[in-house]
Amino acid sequence: QVQLVESGGKLVQAGGSLRLSCAASGGTVSSYNMGWFRQVAGKEREFVAAISWSGGNVHYADSTKGRFTISRDNAKNTVYLQMNSLKPEDTAVYYCAADSTSYRADLFPEDWMYEYWGQGTQLTVSS
């Protein structure tokens, strides 16, 4: 069973930067594509970014492209989300997710493609 634990969320000012981490354990996480999603209370979960199992392929939502960078360190079983130029509309609970099909070639923005989820970490961006 894969377990994902996010950390790093906090209150930051608009224009600031922050890095979220997702520590994974169990299963063969290094073979899974990983994603970051976010959700505001009362709204649907939104795709943020995804990274292939090798780290060689990444995909971003239009709203985060150019500001956010997803990366991974398979030796540490950790996925990161570096967020720059933060805006108040980035405020949300951020979730890490794992696609449990090993060595999948394609990245997907749909949340139903990801089987394992963390508990989330809150990011609040003040204006």
Side-chain angles (χ1 to χ4, degrees):
Q1 184 73 10
V2 174
Q3 292 186 330
L4 305 174
V5 178
E6 303 94 335
S7 62
K10 61 187 290 187
L11 172 64
V12 298
Q13 289 191 334
S17 297
L18 191 68
R19 189 178 78 165
L20 303 182
S21 298
C22 171
S25 61
T28 52
V29 180
S30 60
S31 69
Y32 299 157
N33 296 343
M34 301 291 291
W36 283 98
F37 292 78
R38 64 188 181 187
Q39 189 169 24
V40 176
K43 294 188 177 182
E44 291 188 356
R45 191 158 47 194
E46 177 189 17
F47 171 74
V48 173
I51 187 167
S52 63
W53 57 272
S54 67
N57 188 22
V58 295
H59 179 53
Y60 296 96
D62 288 343
S63 59
T64 62
K65 196 175 300 181
R67 299 188 300 123
F68 291 11
T69 301
I70 188 171
S71 62
R72 67 189 298 163
D73 184 339
N74 283 342
K76 296 181 179 180
N77 281 341
T78 302
V79 179
Y80 304 99
L81 184 68
Q82 176 66 44
M83 304 180 291
N84 299 326
S85 302
L86 284 165
K87 305 175 182 180
E89 51 264 44
D90 293 319
T91 296
V93 177
Y94 282 72
Y95 296 93
C96 174
D99 172 355
S100 63
T101 299
S102 293
Y103 308 114
R104 193 194 294 274
D106 297 319
L107 295 174
F108 294 95
E110 295 87 358
D111 58 1
W112 50 265
M113 290 296 296
Y114 297 81
E115 180 175 355
Y116 302 109
W117 293 83
Q119 83 289 347
T121 186
Q122 175 71 48
L123 167 67
T124 302
V125 183
S126 64
S127 58

